[in-house]
Amino acid sequence: MSKSILALAGLAASGTAMAQSSVTLFGVADAAVSYYSTKSVLYFSPIASLPPIATPAEVQLSQTALSSGGNASSRFGFRGTEDLGGGLAASFWLEAGFNQDTGLIPNAAFARRSTVSLSSNNFGEVRLGRDYVPTYWNESVFDPMGAVGVGENLIKTVSGAIAIARGPGSPVSSTDNAVRASNSVGYFLPRNLGGFYGQLMYALPENVDSSNVAGSPSTKGRYYGGRFGYASGPLDIAVAYGESSAADAATLTAAGVPTGGWLSESLRTVNLGASYDFGILKLMGEVSQVRDRTNRVGPGRGLIRPPAVKENDNYNGAMIGMTVPLGAGMFKASIARVDFDNDLGVVPPGSPERDASVSKLAVGYVYNLSKRTALYATMARVRVNDGQNNPAIMGVSAGGLAYLPAGSATSGFAPRSATGYDFGLRHTF
């Protein structure tokens, strides 16, 4: 009797496996010996007191480390597709990142992607779960370095830093809504549109609606955006837009009592990326703007309420790069710059400028030992101007080493330059 039951269970399991068209285990194992250095320089405004005589003019930090994901992010995952008939298919994708040097998973399991979807050749794909936001793809696809390692796209680095510094924040990742978004509903155009492609995404903030709280529910954490492009032959071009709600709440006193004021903040990103393959080399590039829009409304009513304070800080970026086939490998290079335009808001006229800029040069070479295994070397150099004006975002380093704290608004050490090297081995499976 027990043998019959086991046989039936085996047949049932076999039938389930047969219904599943494909299930694949995949991943990347990538480790590198890396060197990072940062240089911070002393600064002080005319109104600041002079620093002690023994204070150095600059401080350099350096580190040698075994790093993970210098050429491709270390990860593993499972994906599968079931043919439902009539051209309809159901799919799932579960992908987790890990640190090759320690074996640890830094985020929640499957934080890189966790989706389930329905698709067909006629209507495209509807995808639910945690996924990449549309604006991220231009920062990755059109970056010769693949948006990883010491040479990653400077625009992507700054976009992530904005999300970390301004919000909305997430228990899963501090860069959410800049790279990925949880609780998302996405739609992708079908692939038979003669080269045209695109996607739309809306991520639910999932905040609680309380009838006794004014302005409830908050929109903090909400994301919506889209990306549309055209790829045919050697040409690929795409434009994307995304908007994230970083703050949307009543202002509170130190004791947590509502003041009657309100703070709302949104991050609006638009970027355009393109590439053209000439055969002997492939050119690619991106232009981008992230606008940090803040609206503060003070307490009061009617004529008693002070006017709203609005600020629009802009981050304008541009990157151009190329890849050149050389023997069994590929040479890669890129140069990029991001300018921070600080909206002075209500600061009186004549106040000192508070803008900043950062530029980056990256070069690398990948030598393919096989279709799955490669050796690589990457070098990057970063230069920061007026980094004391916005060190949390514009203080970009080349790798995993931070600068010295920038100090106060009038004196301290400001980010100035950084260098990074990766020498690694990558294997895909």
Side-chain angles (χ1 to χ4, degrees):
M1 180 67 177
S2 60
K3 292 183 178 179
S4 299
I5 294 175
L6 289 173
L8 289 173
L11 287 173
S14 176
T16 302
M18 291 175 64
Q20 190 78 26
S21 299
S22 66
V23 177
T24 303
L25 168 67
F26 66 94
V28 176
D30 184 315
V33 176
S34 300
Y35 173 81
Y36 315 121
S37 70
T38 64
K39 181 185 292 185
S40 301
V41 296
L42 183 67
Y43 72 93
F44 56 93
S45 68
I47 63 174
S49 59
L50 293 176
I53 297 177
T55 303
E58 63 181 43
V59 175
Q60 182 167 327
L61 305 178
S62 62
Q63 179 187 32
T64 301
L66 187 65
S67 63
S68 177
N71 178 256
S73 298
S74 296
R75 58 192 184 268
F76 69 92
F78 307 89
R79 58 177 179 255
T81 301
E82 181 184 9
D83 186 353
L84 301 177
L88 186 66
S91 304
F92 76 92
W93 190 301
L94 300 173
E95 184 174 331
F98 67 94
N99 294 329
Q100 184 68 42
D101 52 331
T102 64
L104 297 176
I105 297 177
N107 302 109
F110 304 120
R112 286 181 58 86
R113 179 174 165 183
S114 174
T115 61
V116 63
S117 62
L118 285 175
S119 62
S120 82
N121 293 330
N122 295 324
F123 72 79
E125 179 184 2
V126 175
R127 189 181 295 177
L128 308 176
R130 179 173 173 80
D131 202 0
Y132 293 92
V133 298
T135 46
Y136 165 78
W137 287 116
N138 286 347
E139 297 171 353
S140 175
V141 172
F142 300 113
D143 177 18
M145 307 298 173
V148 294
V150 297
E152 77 168 2
N153 188 347
L154 176 64
I155 295 173
K156 182 243 183 179
T157 305
V158 173
S159 296
I162 296 170
I164 294 171
R166 307 304 303 167
S170 163
V172 179
S173 174
S174 55
T175 60
D176 270 2
N177 290 14
V179 178
R180 302 173 180 85
S182 297
N183 316 311
S184 72
V185 179
Y187 170 71
F188 293 76
L189 291 173
R191 300 179 181 180
N192 56 358
L193 299 180
F196 291 97
Y197 59 88
Q199 72 173 108
L200 297 171
M201 173 185 279
Y202 180 83
L204 286 73
E206 296 191 350
N207 298 317
V208 176
D209 186 353
S210 300
S211 60
N212 63 331
V213 177
S216 176
S218 168
T219 63
K220 180 179 180 180
R222 181 185 66 187
Y223 175 91
Y224 59 86
R227 178 175 183 255
F228 297 93
Y230 176 77
S232 179
L235 175 67
D236 189 0
I237 184 170
V239 62
Y241 174 83
E243 182 168 334
S244 173
S245 180
D248 179 30
T251 56
L252 306 176
T253 66
V257 178
T259 65
W262 197 266
L263 169 66
S264 64
E265 183 175 6
S266 63
L267 302 175
R268 302 180 179 182
T269 301
V270 59
N271 57 33
L272 171 68
S275 65
Y276 194 92
D277 193 343
F278 293 93
I280 59 173
L281 67 87
K282 183 177 182 180
L283 286 178
M284 57 189 69
E286 179 194 3
V287 291
S288 171
Q289 181 184 77
V290 180
R291 177 169 293 182
D292 182 0
R293 300 190 61 180
T294 304
N295 184 17
R296 295 181 177 88
V297 179
R301 292 176 177 270
L303 296 177
I304 301 176
R305 181 186 288 260
V309 177
K310 298 183 178 180
E311 295 183 40
N312 294 288
D313 292 339
N314 294 331
Y315 299 82
N316 301 306
M319 184 275 295
I320 186 169
M322 66 177 179
T323 60
V324 181
L326 289 177
M330 182 82 68
F331 171 78
K332 305 182 295 183
S334 68
I335 186 169
R337 179 184 172 97
V338 175
D339 292 318
F340 167 59
D341 181 11
N342 189 346
D343 184 348
L344 297 180
V346 295
V347 176
S351 298
E353 291 291 334
R354 296 188 295 176
D355 300 342
S357 65
V358 57
S359 56
K360 183 174 185 177
L361 170 68
V363 294
Y365 182 73
V366 179
Y367 181 79
N368 297 306
L369 299 173
S370 69
K371 291 183 178 180
R372 295 180 176 273
T373 305
L375 298 172
Y376 63 87
T378 309
M379 184 279 289
R381 177 71 173 173
V382 173
R383 177 76 175 183
V384 183
N385 293 318
D386 298 316
Q388 71 276 8
N389 290 336
N390 191 355
I393 297 173
M394 300 300 288
V396 176
S397 62
L401 185 62
Y403 293 91
L404 284 177
S408 66
T410 58
S411 64
F413 285 94
R416 174 52 60 90
S417 63
T419 303
Y421 300 93
D422 287 331
F423 301 94
L425 170 66
R426 183 212 69 219
H427 176 74
T428 61
F429 58 91

